[in-house]
Amino acid sequence: MSRRRWIADEIISENRAALVGEHAAHLARVLRAKVGQEFDIATGSEVRRGVVTSVSPATSAPSATQDARVEFELFETLVAADDLRLVLAIAIFKFDRMEWAIEKATELGVARIQPIIARRTDAHLATAAAKRVERWRRIAGEAAEQSRRVAPPEVSEPIRVKEFVKSATGLRVLLDETEADMSLSAALRDAGDAETILAIGPEGGWAEDEIALFQETSWLSATLGPTILRAETAAIAALAVAASVMRNTTARSK
């Protein structure tokens, strides 16, 4: 049976790490961690076998949550899958569905999530997005542990389309429902080791001037097929295709 994985909040020394706050409280109070128990501990660069050396405080009072702490001694390094050099640039849409997309994108191995304020992003969502970033990061962190990643993806601060398009580098692919000629898998065929960015539009799709901006800055346009997908469905479908193509390319090159 595989051990549960935790992403360390603190790296104390070369062979010691800790969980703190709500993270530690969940392990200590809900899962009733005890000294001597073993878990997999991700340190951001590797995963190691960890043994609990201390659990504090002993009280289960809610007021003690912020002071909760579980420390581990770290032992041998474990084999862990590499994250993909894959960025999801996703136009902001309804927050409940956005959170679902962030969770699933994390499970699929995306390295970074860039929220985008597009022309068709609802004004109240654009205004509230900056306050949602910490929640999105927490969701990504929880999903990273559940899916046994070494580290959660970076969730960047929201930016507007023009700013993002002009600063993006690597293999850049715009998912465009009006594109009829190039499939996403074909667009990714020569990705190699380059960072790959997939841009997913908002509800209603990208505006014409946004598509023109992508084209002017040499983004590739690709399609996921003839059906019109919800934004969150398109994001997950695109990442699944990209992950498959990129991992197969990496395997062939070894």
Side-chain angles (χ1 to χ4, degrees), residues 51-91:
V51 176
V52 177
T53 57
S54 67
V55 180
S56 63
T59 177
S60 60
S63 59
T65 294
Q66 63 182 11
D67 299 321
R69 184 177 184 88
V70 180
E71 294 193 1
F72 304 86
E73 184 174 2
L74 305 179
F75 293 90
E76 70 273 14
T77 300
L78 307 173
V79 175
D82 293 331
D83 291 337
L84 298 168
R85 296 195 66 196
L86 185 57
V87 176
L88 174 64
I90 186 166

Side-chain angles (χ1 to χ4, degrees), residues 48-209:
R48 297 174 66 180
R49 180 172 66 88
V51 176
V52 177
T53 57
S54 67
V55 180
S56 63
T59 177
S60 60
S63 59
T65 294
Q66 63 182 11
D67 299 321
R69 184 177 184 88
V70 180
E71 294 193 1
F72 304 86
E73 184 174 2
L74 305 179
F75 293 90
E76 70 273 14
T77 300
L78 307 173
V79 175
D82 293 331
D83 291 337
L84 298 168
R85 296 195 66 196
L86 185 57
V87 176
L88 174 64
I90 186 166
I92 296 165
F93 49 89
K94 291 179 181 177
F95 288 151
D96 57 341
R97 303 212 306 264
M98 185 90 174
E99 291 174 2
W100 184 88
I102 288 169
E103 178 184 79
K104 302 311 172 188
T106 300
E107 292 175 15
L108 286 165
V110 70
R112 183 163 71 91
I113 298 169
Q114 175 62 71
I116 300 290
I117 300 171
R119 183 177 298 281
R120 289 176 176 153
T121 299
D122 285 351
H124 74 281
L125 297 179
T127 301
K131 297 180 180 178
R132 284 279 176 150
V133 174
E134 286 306 315
R135 176 174 171 80
W136 292 339
R137 288 171 179 159
R138 185 168 66 252
I139 288 168
E142 292 169 355
E145 287 182 335
Q146 183 275 325
S147 55
R148 300 182 62 78
R149 289 183 53 161
V150 175
E154 176 187 349
V155 180
S156 301
E157 297 288 336
I159 60 175
R160 296 193 175 275
V161 173
K162 187 175 182 179
E163 180 184 354
F164 172 69
V165 169
K166 292 187 174 181
S167 64
T169 59
L171 178 62
R172 299 161 300 166
V173 182
L174 171 69
L175 273 297
D176 179 7
E177 61 193 31
T178 66
E179 169 64 42
D181 297 326
M182 183 180 291
S183 68
L184 177 58
S185 57
L188 296 173
R189 201 164 288 150
D190 298 321
D193 293 329
E195 181 176 74
T196 299
I197 303 173
L198 303 181
I200 307 292
E203 295 171 330
W206 299 106
E208 289 185 9
D209 62 319

